[in-house]
Amino acid sequence: MFTMLRYGGPMMRPLALNRTCSTVLPDARDAGALRALLIVGFAVWCACILGLASRHAFSVSFWPANAVLAGLLVRCPALHRPAGWTGAALGFVAADIMFGRTASLAFAFAATNMIGVLPTMLLLRRLDAIDLLLGRVHSVVRILACILPGCFTAALAGAVLVKWQFDGSMLQALATWPASELVNYLTTLPAVLAWSSAVSAVPTERSIRVTAWPVVGLVASCAAALWLDGPGSIMFPMPALLLCALTYSVRTTSVLTMAIGAGSLTAIGLGAVHIGQDMAIPAHVVSIRVAVAFLVLVPLTISSAMAVHDSLSHRLREAADHDGLTGLLNRRAFDQRMRAMLAAMPPSGGLAVLWLDIDHFKSINDRFGHLAGDAVLQSFGALAADVSGPTGLAGRMGGEEFALVLAIPDRAAAIVATNRLRRVFAATSTGWSGVSVRATVSIGACYLDAPPADVTHLVHRLDEMLYRAKRAGRDRVEWLDDREAARDVA
């Protein structure tokens, strides 16, 4: 009923934070198996192609496919089904065969990868959605704790594969494989998790104040690493990455860290950056992988901490600007925003400004109790918020007094909307402890088609109109006539 009062279109509905791919696939029960097979298979195949196309020295290769698979299955539960895993296996095998591996070896590598993904995926599914979106200070650490078992499980499977297919050293595989899984997961997984949700983790002003300077610094530091070489060059991008984490949103930071992590592994493997280490020595291989892992881990952790800071700041501002009972703007915030809105009136259309007071509110408290009175205030607050909509303002000025600013095209429409608001509230029944409580509202109103010269004087005149409505019998609207309003307009 309240939605019909709003002047304009239908009420906008908020997006849920934990929207998953099951909402993107509304007919998942009908064609879910085929869709899961195709989506997972194609995503894994693309990730494998990226890894295989950039392959180089095996010791420091970049392999995003496992992280992509784990991230998809966690953020899109509709894909976590036998058909999804079948698609993953086909994606792994198809990519390997395209790059010259035999079918038997391709299936062996696919099985190894999937065995390593399974424990990571199952542990990640136990985390809260806010952690998957890196929205807490310790989110990256929690994700890391879920990754580590998968890294060692993959190492065990990889050691068997190395011994069986290549007659290699199981001990060496057990020493180097976990670090490879770790760096590839930390490089790729945060971006997959952060970007697979329909909305970001928290509101953030940093993503709005866009500046390119941190990215410029990041590019310059990468160029310096390529030019200077040496063991320390791998850490050259760290200061710029930290600046990016302090400046940009978690989503943007996760993409930048993925680019730097993947670029570092590729550059070292191709010899574009000479770090002075012998990649034939397993200990050196592990050292490089861990260094790249920490290169991306630290900025991601800083970015998560900044996300928490932004969220807390947003909540504090919301608490400071809004009334705790009704959720409407408080007097201070309403006055500030009303003045800004009146000063920036559009050239076409106008604004209706309403001052409202619930009639005989003290008697409601006396007859039914203060909790019943609170319920009436909340009921009217919901109605006021619905009427004002996204283009207007609604505030609780104190006690049972409220104020509204409505974007209305003309005075006639303003009169219709205001009278409808009054009638709907009079017809609204607020239930409390088995008792039906009804109330009415008196309104002082004016319509403006130009900014007022003195907002304070205008508010004073509206207050007078409100009390004129009360003296005239309540449950009515008293309008500041055009001649009086014109004297208040610049």
Side-chain angles (χ1 to χ4, degrees), residues 147-157 174 178 181:
I147 289 173
L148 290 175
C151 294
F152 289 104
T153 302
L156 290 172
L174 288 171
E181 292 288 312

Side-chain angles (χ1 to χ4, degrees), residues 143-198:
I143 292 174
L144 176 62
C146 296
I147 289 173
L148 290 175
C151 294
F152 289 104
T153 302
L156 290 172
V160 174
L161 173 64
V162 167
K163 182 65 177 179
W164 171 44
Q165 290 286 348
F166 306 104
D167 197 25
S169 169
M170 294 183 65
L171 185 61
Q172 181 173 331
L174 288 171
T176 58
W177 205 296
S180 175
E181 292 288 312
L182 176 65
V183 67
N184 285 304
Y185 270 118
L186 286 178
T187 298
T188 309
L189 184 60
V192 176
L193 293 175
W195 282 92
S196 59
S197 177

